[in-house]
Amino acid sequence: MGNYNTIQGGKGYVNRSKRKKLAIDDSLNKPVPTHDGIKSVMADNLCNFSTNSDLCICMVTWNMNGQVSYEDLVELFGNNRGFDLLVVGLQEVPRKDLARLLQDALVDTHELLGRATMQSLQLYVFGTKNSYMFVEEMKVDKHGVGGCGGMRRRKKGAVAISINYKGLKLVFITCHLAAHARNVEERNSQCRHISHSLFSKYSTNPYTNPAHITVWLGDLNYRLQGINTHPARNIIHRDLHKLDRIHGVRVLRRIRSNELLRSKDQLLQEAERGQIFDGYCEGTLAFKPTYKYNIGSSNYDTSYKVRVPAWTDRILFKIEDPNKITANLHCYESVDDIYSSDHKPVRAHLCLKVHK
């Protein structure tokens, strides 16, 4: 399928677009694969939805913990809605007509173009009014990897939408992977199974027509490893985190204070090993870890488990050919003023420029 060539690992699997450059290990005189890992991209916070971009996309992921309100959705999307497309990936969705709630929250600016659902795992794509005329083709798919989709509303797997919009093939995947810090290899395996399975029924050779851009957003559930909860919380609660993000120098200082935590992040570690998401991009993790909070507050878990905070909720993107399309990340942030879940939502704003 499309741009999934960058999900690495697994016996006998070879990157089809790069065919992995080989480096020489002089000590053994044998070729060994090199890996790009996940590239960290600084968000510039400068987009004004001008005509300088061909397509602006707002992307949101949120584990809802079985709760939702209209007010939360309004807060989720913010006031500045000049983006062309809005992609909403949701996990642990409650038993409500969520599509209707989303449409009500966006009724003045956007309309529903497509959806993909698998019980409590749901994905929606909205476009500006009358934007359906720019949709040339749309496909949806899903792949389950376990979990409880019934009363507990914790279905694991992924749902995806492939859409040809204004001549660009875009693939959006929202996923909910295995929980618990110890299950790193299980999460890696789930990523590979999902990437190999989605949309495979549509083509005998899914790599003949790759997507221009592929986006994964969801509760990937990768944790911090090698640091205990209290040292992690001490780093998070330093005053540097509370400084106004508008001032660039202050943002830089906060990012530097996060470097230790980022070095413990399992997702970045596994990508660096070439197991998953090789060659993808992600905004710099300049916001606080998004899990696990006490519901109704901005305080981290005070239950008997006292979980180590983690960036479980992520948005990753991959451009198939950077020489043809330039992607500018203008925002990558958590939405901290929503308190109904034990996760904070994460929002990204990406603008694309096509080189003719």
Side-chain angles (χ1 to χ4, degrees):
M1 157 57 214
N3 223 352
Y4 296 2
N5 55 295
T6 48
I7 304 291
Q8 294 300 313
K11 187 175 181 180
Y13 185 68
V14 181
N15 182 304
R16 63 97 193 166
S17 68
K18 296 182 182 178
R19 299 298 183 192
K20 277 298 177 188
K21 296 178 181 178
L22 296 180
I24 299 298
D25 185 333
D26 291 332
S27 62
L28 299 176
N29 197 30
K30 293 181 180 180
V32 294
T34 59
H35 308 295
D36 296 328
I38 294 174
K39 179 182 178 181
S40 180
V41 179
M42 180 75 76
D44 60 26
N45 299 305
L46 296 177
C47 184
N48 59 1
F49 304 110
S50 68
T51 57
N52 293 331
S53 298
D54 294 302
L55 183 64
C56 286
I57 310 170
C58 179
M59 299 167 287
V60 177
T61 180
W62 184 24
N63 183 320
M64 306 178 85
N65 194 39
Q67 304 291 329
V68 68
S69 69
Y70 173 81
E71 291 73 21
D72 282 346
L73 295 179
V74 172
E75 180 71 28
L76 189 64
F77 304 137
N79 296 321
N80 191 355
R81 299 182 183 179
F83 38 80
D84 301 295
L85 294 179
L86 170 65
V87 181
V88 186
L90 302 169
Q91 309 85 44
E92 297 190 21
V93 173
R95 291 183 178 275
K96 292 185 178 181
D97 186 354
L98 193 65
R100 175 53 56 190
L101 285 174
L102 290 168
Q103 288 173 301
D104 289 345
L106 294 162
V107 65
D108 293 332
T109 57
H110 290 73
E111 60 187 8
L112 182 63
L113 296 180
R115 74 178 94 178
T117 64
M118 183 172 61
Q119 299 177 21
S120 58
L121 187 56
Q122 303 184 11
L123 176 66
Y124 299 86
V125 175
F126 290 86
T128 52
K129 298 291 186 178
N130 299 317
S131 59
Y132 63 87
M133 67 181 65
F134 299 120
V135 179
E136 299 174 25
E137 183 182 41
M138 183 181 299
K139 299 174 183 177
V140 301
D141 205 358
K142 61 185 178 182
H143 182 75
V145 295
C148 302
M151 292 299 293
R152 298 185 69 185
R153 310 297 289 167
R154 293 178 182 175
K155 183 65 179 178
K156 298 298 194 297
V159 294
I161 295 176
S162 173
I163 180 173
N164 193 320
Y165 186 84
K166 290 186 176 181
L168 292 175
K169 185 176 180 181
L170 316 169
V171 172
F172 302 105
I173 303 160
T174 192
C175 64
H176 193 187
L177 304 182
H180 307 303
R182 65 182 178 273
N183 290 327
V184 179
E185 291 301 329
E186 184 176 359
R187 285 188 282 274
N188 292 350
S189 177
Q190 289 174 349
C191 279
R192 292 190 288 266
H193 280 296
I194 290 167
S195 65
H196 296 161
S197 299
L198 288 175
F199 300 112
S200 60
K201 61 187 177 184
Y202 291 106
S203 174
T204 57
N205 184 1
Y207 300 130
T208 57
N209 186 26
H212 293 100
I213 179 171
T214 301
V215 177
W216 286 63
L217 64 164
D219 181 359
L220 278 68
N221 249 326
Y222 287 91
R223 309 300 175 94
L224 298 183
Q225 184 167 295
I227 187 170
N228 293 326
T229 189
H230 294 299
R233 294 182 189 208
N234 288 338
I235 294 173
I236 293 166
H237 289 299
R238 285 176 182 169
D239 289 341
L240 292 177
H241 276 298
K242 301 176 182 178
L243 295 173
D244 188 347
R245 70 176 58 205
I246 293 176
H247 297 85
V249 174
R250 294 179 175 181
V251 171
L252 182 60
R253 290 175 63 196
R254 183 173 60 246
I255 290 172
R256 285 174 176 169
S257 75
N258 258 352
E259 285 180 355
L260 176 58
L261 293 185
R262 290 200 304 275
S263 71
K264 307 294 184 181
D265 180 74
Q266 291 176 340
L267 176 59
L268 297 180
Q269 290 174 350
E270 294 305 298
E272 186 69 23
R273 292 203 304 129
Q275 296 299 302
I276 49 171
F277 296 112
D278 191 51
Y280 271 71
C281 297
E282 181 185 25
T284 303
L285 294 169
F287 49 87
K288 296 190 295 183
T290 54
Y291 175 85
K292 176 180 171 119
Y293 286 88
N294 291 334
I295 295 174
S297 77
S298 287
N299 299 320
Y300 285 113
D301 180 27
T302 56
S303 74
Y304 72 94
K305 294 183 179 180
V306 197
R307 292 173 180 84
V308 180
W311 287 290
T312 56
D313 311 278
R314 313 288 276 268
I315 301 175
L316 310 171
F317 64 94
K318 174 68 166 61
I319 304 297
E320 173 67 14
D321 189 347
N323 294 319
K324 294 181 179 179
I325 298 177
T326 298
N328 291 308
L329 184 67
H330 298 295
C331 165
Y332 192 47
E333 62 186 0
S334 58
V335 185
D336 294 335
D337 292 332
I338 291 179
Y339 307 99
S340 57
S341 173
D342 52 356
H343 291 252
K344 297 297 184 183
V346 172
R347 184 166 56 205
H349 177 197
L350 189 70
C351 285
L352 308 177
K353 180 68 175 178
V354 179
H355 304 297
K356 307 298 184 183

